[in-house]
């Protein structure tokens, strides 16, 4: 499972170089309220020695529990909810609109290469959670991968609010 996400990390970053780090939007909580933050994972990409992708850039995504592949219908409203566990969510396709019930902060995530977020607003740190809507006329595909023992990946907070596209793609 860890190798799967190492490969996915390399795909999402494109061409990586030494000391390059992954930035992504995180749904987390502060004072029992869900918030959006732009995180930079503090584990750098490394050069892979795995046959078939040897020489490419990979990222260790931590100890993972399992994976679920979900197909979400067009214009689906996931309603107000908290993340069931701390987990990576990779939106493979679609458009995702995340809003917070207690503020004006929001994020629009486009599925694909840059569709990875970390959902961390579980019941132990958020009272209400967030709302997820899928406004596209196409299905959205998501892969959720909980982290083992609810351990957050090592990271630093770049700022409050979702990452910008420029921060995500490394422009």
């Amino acid at each position: 499972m860890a190798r799967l996400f190492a490969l996915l990390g390399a795909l999402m970053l494109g061409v990586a170089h030494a000391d390059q780090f992954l930035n992504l939007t995180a749904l987390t909580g502060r004072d029992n309220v869900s918030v959006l933050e732009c995180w930079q994972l503090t584990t750098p990409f490394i050069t892979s020695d795995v046959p078939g992708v040897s020489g490419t850039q990979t990222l260790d995504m931590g100890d993972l529990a399992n994976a679920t592949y979900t197909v979400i219908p067009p214009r689906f409203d996931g309603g107000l909810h908290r993340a069931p566990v701390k987990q990576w969510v990779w939106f493979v396709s679609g458009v995702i609109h995340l809003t917070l019930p207690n503020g004006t902060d929001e994020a629009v995530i486009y599925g694909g290469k840059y569709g990875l977020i970390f959902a961390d607003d579980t019941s132990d740190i958020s009272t209400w959670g967030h709302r997820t809507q899928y406004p596209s006329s196409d299905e959205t595909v998501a892969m959720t991968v909980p982290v083992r023992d609810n351990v957050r990946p090592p990271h630093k907070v770049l700022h409050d609010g979702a990452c910008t596209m420029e921060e995500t793609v490394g422009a």
Side-chain angles (χ1 to χ4, degrees), residues 39-86:
W39 285 6
Q40 181 174 81
L41 301 185
T42 56
T43 303
F45 281 81
I46 60 169
T47 302
S48 175
D49 61 359
V50 175
V53 292
S54 182
T56 64
Q57 297 298 301
T58 62
L59 179 66
D60 182 357
M61 303 294 278
D63 197 9
L64 308 174
N66 60 19
T68 302
Y69 186 91
T70 304
V71 179
I72 302 160
R75 291 180 275 289
F76 185 76
D77 188 338
L80 187 61
H81 63 283
R82 293 176 295 229
V85 294
K86 296 177 187 326

Side-chain angles (χ1 to χ4, degrees), residues 1-3 5 43 59-66 86-88 118 145-154:
M1 183 66 65
R3 288 190 190 259
F5 268 87
T43 303
L59 179 66
D60 182 357
M61 303 294 278
D63 197 9
L64 308 174
N66 60 19
K86 296 177 187 326
Q87 62 187 351
W88 298 102
F118 192 79
V145 184
V147 293
R148 192 169 308 282
D149 301 323
N150 276 326
V151 176
R152 288 177 167 180

Side-chain angles (χ1 to χ4, degrees), residues 58-135:
T58 62
L59 179 66
D60 182 357
M61 303 294 278
D63 197 9
L64 308 174
N66 60 19
T68 302
Y69 186 91
T70 304
V71 179
I72 302 160
R75 291 180 275 289
F76 185 76
D77 188 338
L80 187 61
H81 63 283
R82 293 176 295 229
V85 294
K86 296 177 187 326
Q87 62 187 351
W88 298 102
V89 181
W90 180 32
F91 294 103
V92 179
S93 66
V95 177
I96 300 84
H97 185 211
L98 301 170
T99 55
L100 306 177
N102 52 316
T104 59
D105 210 1
E106 65 181 346
V108 176
I109 308 294
Y110 295 95
K113 185 176 180 177
Y114 304 109
L116 182 69
I117 67 168
F118 192 79
D120 181 59
D121 64 339
T122 50
S123 62
D124 60 323
I125 60 173
S126 176
T127 301
W128 298 297
H130 61 278
R131 183 177 183 187
T132 309
Q133 296 172 290
Y134 305 87

Side-chain angles (χ1 to χ4, degrees), residues 2-43:
R3 288 190 190 259
L4 166 69
F5 268 87
L7 293 173
L8 293 175
L11 288 172
M12 291 189 322
L13 188 64
V15 178
H17 303 287
D19 295 343
Q20 191 138 15
F21 299 88
L22 181 65
N23 297 342
L24 67 144
T25 296
L27 268 165
T28 188
R30 220 179 291 132
D31 301 320
N32 286 323
V33 174
S34 290
V35 296
L36 292 166
E37 294 178 341
C38 181
W39 285 6
Q40 181 174 81
L41 301 185
T42 56
T43 303

